[in-house]
Amino acid sequence: MMSEKIQPKVSILVPCYNVEKYLPECLDSIVNQTLKDIEIICINDGSKDSTLEIIKKYAKKDKRFVVIDKENEGYGKSMNRGLDVASGEYVGIVESDDWVEPDAFETLYNTARKNRADMVKADFVFFDNDTKKESPSWPIGISDDLKQKVFCPTEQNPEIIWSGHPSIWTCLYSNKMLHDKNVRFASTPGASFQDMGFKQKTFIVTKRFYYLPQVVLHYRKHANNSDKNNGKIFAVSDAHDDTDKWLTENIQNSHKFKKLVNQCRFANYMWNLYRLSGQARKDFRKRFASEYKKYYTAHELEKNYFDDKTWWKLMCIIHPYNPIYLILHALIGFISPIYKTRVCDGYKIYYLFNKTVIKKVKLPGAQA
């Protein structure tokens, strides 16, 4: 009689596409984790180099490996294939050109179990592949009084959902939560920036979140990173459309989250706008303006989520031919050495001379 398979503590998804140069370092860092009770799911997305052979070589020596070999379908479908077979209590992600600290998953798992967390997020460092130097990650946008405490992001610190790098691979997710709420990656063929949508979905459904200020991963920056691809100017829009569709189909009273997801969309639209140039930038700005004019008219934006300068910047995008908004935006910039506002650490803060706090307003939660 065959014994029933014991559930691993963590399933680690490793999406792979033409990464023969970096894959061994990545897999070595996972194989040598201090947490041994793991499942290593490598998804080969139709690689043309020796990626598959490298995966098979590791799998032959280590029974913890699960190998999925498929035709090239893109990142989203690869990740969803991995989620389909993940059997661990928690799910983690490691991109195949990055590597993790030896105790990364033991630390994340123990933290999750101790705090009965749906999701735990830690920190990472950027590794410049050309200079071989490391630099700190972007700020996460979390109030100091919530660090290393369990809380619900949408109710207590919504800024965390749209601020900072998506960094979905510094997190541990409850497998049950992902399945119960049908949290998946956008699977549109050729889509990009699916990590943005996955970040939003997980933060929206997480009721017990825990932030751990500890570096667990090294994010390799090199010429082939997907975030350097300027070709698909509306890919960010497609990713957010997928999130909207998921909200409607899976989340009860999804309208409560409208202002929150529109702020997430705004932050990513601004990032996309600044990375584009020429006609591509003009085309995207036109779509940006059209969408946000609708949200503004429908009262689906929360002004307290914006610092004053950014709010008037948005008004300039929505009303490009109205000189009043251009003047107000310029005026706010002119007086900023004396008076300014910032949205940070879960608050909108009003400053005088960049030091004196005039007023501090807690950001409204999506559930309020």
Side-chain angles (χ1 to χ4, degrees), residues 261-291:
V261 297
N262 283 344
Q263 177 64 16
C264 295
R265 185 186 287 255
F266 170 80
N268 291 325
Y269 273 25
M270 288 300 297
W271 169 83
N272 194 49
L273 183 67
Y274 285 128
R275 79 183 182 90
L276 298 172
S277 60
Q279 188 60 45
R281 185 169 185 172
K282 292 179 181 178
D283 291 343
F284 182 74
R285 188 185 180 100
K286 183 177 180 180
R287 176 165 176 171
F288 190 165
S290 176
E291 291 184 13

Coordinates of all heavy atoms in Angstrom, one line a residue, residues 261-291:
V261 N -8.1 50.5 -6.3 CA -7.5 50.0 -7.5 C -7.2 51.1 -8.5 O -6.2 50.9 -9.3 CB -8.3 48.8 -8.1 CG1 -8.4 47.7 -7.2 CG2 -9.7 49.3 -8.5
N262 N -8.0 52.1 -8.5 CA -7.7 53.2 -9.4 C -6.5 54.0 -9.0 O -5.8 54.5 -9.9 CB -8.9 54.2 -9.5 CG -10.1 53.7 -10.3 OD1 -9.9 52.7 -11.1 ND2 -11.2 54.2 -10.1
Q263 N -6.2 54.0 -7.7 CA -4.9 54.6 -7.3 C -3.7 53.7 -7.7 O -2.7 54.2 -8.1 CB -4.9 54.8 -5.8 CG -3.6 55.4 -5.2 CD -3.3 56.8 -5.8 OE1 -4.2 57.5 -6.3 NE2 -2.1 57.2 -5.6
C264 N -3.9 52.4 -7.6 CA -2.8 51.5 -8.0 C -2.6 51.7 -9.5 O -1.4 51.7 -10.0 CB -3.3 50.1 -7.8 SG -3.4 49.6 -6.0
R265 N -3.7 51.8 -10.3 CA -3.6 52.0 -11.7 C -2.8 53.3 -12.0 O -2.0 53.4 -12.9 CB -5.0 52.0 -12.4 CG -5.0 52.0 -13.9 CD -6.4 52.2 -14.4 NE -7.1 51.0 -14.3 CZ -7.4 50.1 -15.4 NH1 -6.9 50.4 -16.6 NH2 -8.1 49.1 -15.2
F266 N -3.2 54.4 -11.3 CA -2.6 55.7 -11.5 C -1.1 55.6 -11.3 O -0.3 56.1 -12.1 CB -3.2 56.7 -10.6 CG -2.4 58.0 -10.6 CD1 -2.6 58.9 -11.6 CD2 -1.5 58.3 -9.6 CE1 -1.9 60.1 -11.6 CE2 -0.8 59.5 -9.6 CZ -1.0 60.4 -10.6
A267 N -0.6 55.0 -10.2 CA 0.8 54.9 -9.9 C 1.5 54.2 -11.0 O 2.6 54.6 -11.4 CB 1.0 54.2 -8.5
N268 N 1.0 53.1 -11.5 CA 1.6 52.4 -12.6 C 1.5 53.1 -13.9 O 2.4 52.9 -14.7 CB 1.0 51.0 -12.6 CG 1.4 50.1 -11.4 OD1 2.5 50.2 -10.9 ND2 0.4 49.3 -11.0
Y269 N 0.4 53.8 -14.1 CA 0.3 54.6 -15.4 C 1.4 55.7 -15.4 O 2.0 56.0 -16.4 CB -1.1 55.2 -15.5 CG -2.1 54.3 -16.1 CD1 -2.0 52.9 -16.1 CD2 -3.2 54.8 -16.8 CE1 -2.9 52.1 -16.7 CE2 -4.2 54.0 -17.4 CZ -4.0 52.6 -17.3 OH -4.9 51.8 -17.9
M270 N 1.6 56.3 -14.3 CA 2.7 57.4 -14.2 C 4.0 56.8 -14.5 O 4.8 57.4 -15.2 CB 2.6 58.1 -12.9 CG 1.4 59.0 -12.6 SD 1.3 60.3 -13.8 CE 2.8 61.3 -13.5
W271 N 4.3 55.6 -13.9 CA 5.6 55.0 -14.1 C 5.7 54.6 -15.6 O 6.8 54.9 -16.2 CB 5.6 53.7 -13.3 CG 6.8 52.8 -13.7 CD1 8.1 52.9 -13.3 CD2 6.7 51.7 -14.6 NE1 8.8 51.9 -13.9 CE2 8.0 51.1 -14.7 CE3 5.7 51.1 -15.3 CZ2 8.3 50.0 -15.5 CZ3 6.0 50.0 -16.1 CH2 7.3 49.4 -16.2
N272 N 4.6 54.1 -16.2 CA 4.7 53.8 -17.7 C 4.8 55.0 -18.5 O 5.6 55.0 -19.5 CB 3.4 53.0 -18.0 CG 3.5 52.3 -19.4 OD1 4.4 51.6 -19.7 ND2 2.5 52.6 -20.2
L273 N 4.2 56.1 -18.2 CA 4.2 57.3 -19.0 C 5.7 57.9 -19.0 O 6.2 58.3 -20.1 CB 3.3 58.4 -18.3 CG 3.2 59.7 -19.1 CD1 2.5 59.5 -20.4 CD2 2.4 60.7 -18.2
Y274 N 6.4 57.8 -17.9 CA 7.7 58.4 -17.8 C 8.7 57.5 -18.5 O 9.8 58.0 -18.9 CB 8.1 58.6 -16.4 CG 7.5 59.8 -15.7 CD1 6.8 59.7 -14.5 CD2 7.5 61.1 -16.4 CE1 6.2 60.9 -14.0 CE2 6.9 62.2 -15.8 CZ 6.2 62.1 -14.6 OH 5.6 63.2 -14.1
R275 N 8.4 56.2 -18.7 CA 9.4 55.4 -19.4 C 9.3 55.4 -20.9 O 10.2 55.0 -21.6 CB 9.3 53.9 -18.9 CG 8.2 53.1 -19.5 CD 8.0 51.7 -18.9 NE 7.0 51.0 -19.6 CZ 7.1 50.3 -20.7 NH1 8.3 50.1 -21.2 NH2 6.1 49.7 -21.3
L276 N 8.2 56.0 -21.4 CA 7.9 56.1 -22.8 C 8.4 57.4 -23.4 O 8.6 58.3 -22.6 CB 6.4 55.9 -23.1 CG 5.8 54.6 -22.7 CD1 4.3 54.6 -22.8 CD2 6.3 53.4 -23.5
S277 N 8.5 57.4 -24.7 CA 8.9 58.7 -25.4 C 8.3 58.8 -26.7 O 7.7 57.8 -27.2 CB 10.4 58.7 -25.5 OG 10.9 57.6 -26.3
G278 N 8.3 59.9 -27.3 CA 7.8 60.1 -28.7 C 6.3 59.9 -28.8 O 5.5 60.2 -28.0
Q279 N 6.0 59.2 -30.0 CA 4.6 59.0 -30.3 C 3.9 58.0 -29.3 O 2.8 58.1 -28.9 CB 4.4 58.4 -31.7 CG 3.0 58.3 -32.2 CD 2.2 59.6 -32.2 OE1 2.8 60.7 -32.6 NE2 1.0 59.6 -31.7
A280 N 4.7 57.0 -28.8 CA 4.2 56.0 -27.8 C 3.8 56.8 -26.6 O 2.7 56.4 -26.0 CB 5.3 55.0 -27.5
R281 N 4.5 57.8 -26.1 CA 4.1 58.5 -24.9 C 2.8 59.3 -25.2 O 2.0 59.3 -24.3 CB 5.3 59.4 -24.5 CG 5.0 60.1 -23.2 CD 6.2 60.8 -22.7 NE 5.9 61.4 -21.3 CZ 6.9 61.9 -20.6 NH1 8.1 61.9 -21.0 NH2 6.5 62.5 -19.4
K282 N 2.7 59.9 -26.3 CA 1.5 60.7 -26.7 C 0.3 59.8 -26.7 O -0.8 60.1 -26.2 CB 1.7 61.4 -28.0 CG 2.7 62.5 -28.0 CD 2.9 63.1 -29.4 CE 3.9 64.2 -29.4 NZ 4.1 64.8 -30.8
D283 N 0.5 58.6 -27.3 CA -0.7 57.6 -27.4 C -1.1 57.1 -26.1 O -2.3 57.1 -25.8 CB -0.3 56.4 -28.3 CG -0.1 56.8 -29.8 OD1 -0.6 57.9 -30.2 OD2 0.5 56.0 -30.5
F284 N -0.1 56.8 -25.2 CA -0.5 56.4 -23.9 C -1.1 57.5 -23.0 O -2.1 57.2 -22.3 CB 0.7 55.8 -23.2 CG 0.4 55.2 -21.8 CD1 -0.3 54.0 -21.7 CD2 0.7 55.9 -20.6 CE1 -0.6 53.5 -20.4 CE2 0.3 55.5 -19.4 CZ -0.3 54.2 -19.3
R285 N -0.6 58.7 -23.1 CA -1.2 59.8 -22.4 C -2.6 60.0 -22.8 O -3.4 60.4 -21.9 CB -0.3 61.1 -22.6 CG -0.7 62.2 -21.7 CD 0.1 63.5 -22.1 NE -0.3 64.6 -21.3 CZ 0.4 65.0 -20.2 NH1 1.6 64.4 -19.9 NH2 0.0 66.0 -19.5
K286 N -2.9 59.9 -24.0 CA -4.3 60.0 -24.5 C -5.2 59.0 -23.8 O -6.3 59.4 -23.4 CB -4.4 59.9 -26.0 CG -5.8 60.1 -26.6 CD -5.7 60.0 -28.1 CE -7.1 60.3 -28.7 NZ -7.1 60.2 -30.2
R287 N -4.8 57.8 -23.7 CA -5.6 56.7 -23.1 C -5.7 57.0 -21.6 O -6.8 56.9 -21.0 CB -5.0 55.4 -23.3 CG -5.8 54.2 -22.6 CD -5.4 52.9 -23.1 NE -6.1 51.8 -22.4 CZ -6.1 50.6 -22.7 NH1 -5.5 50.2 -23.9 NH2 -6.7 49.7 -22.0
F288 N -4.6 57.4 -21.0 CA -4.5 57.8 -19.6 C -5.6 58.8 -19.3 O -6.4 58.7 -18.3 CB -3.1 58.3 -19.3 CG -2.7 58.5 -17.9 CD1 -1.4 58.7 -17.5 CD2 -3.7 58.5 -16.9 CE1 -1.0 58.9 -16.2 CE2 -3.3 58.7 -15.5 CZ -1.9 58.9 -15.2
A289 N -5.6 59.9 -20.1 CA -6.5 61.0 -19.8 C -8.0 60.5 -20.0 O -8.8 60.9 -19.2 CB -6.2 62.1 -20.8
S290 N -8.2 59.7 -21.0 CA -9.6 59.3 -21.2 C -10.1 58.5 -20.1 O -11.3 58.7 -19.6 CB -9.7 58.5 -22.5 OG -10.9 57.9 -22.7
E291 N -9.3 57.5 -19.6 CA -9.8 56.7 -18.5 C -10.0 57.4 -17.2 O -11.0 57.3 -16.5 CB -8.7 55.5 -18.3 CG -8.7 54.5 -19.4 CD -7.7 53.4 -19.1 OE1 -7.3 53.2 -17.9 OE2 -7.4 52.6 -20.0

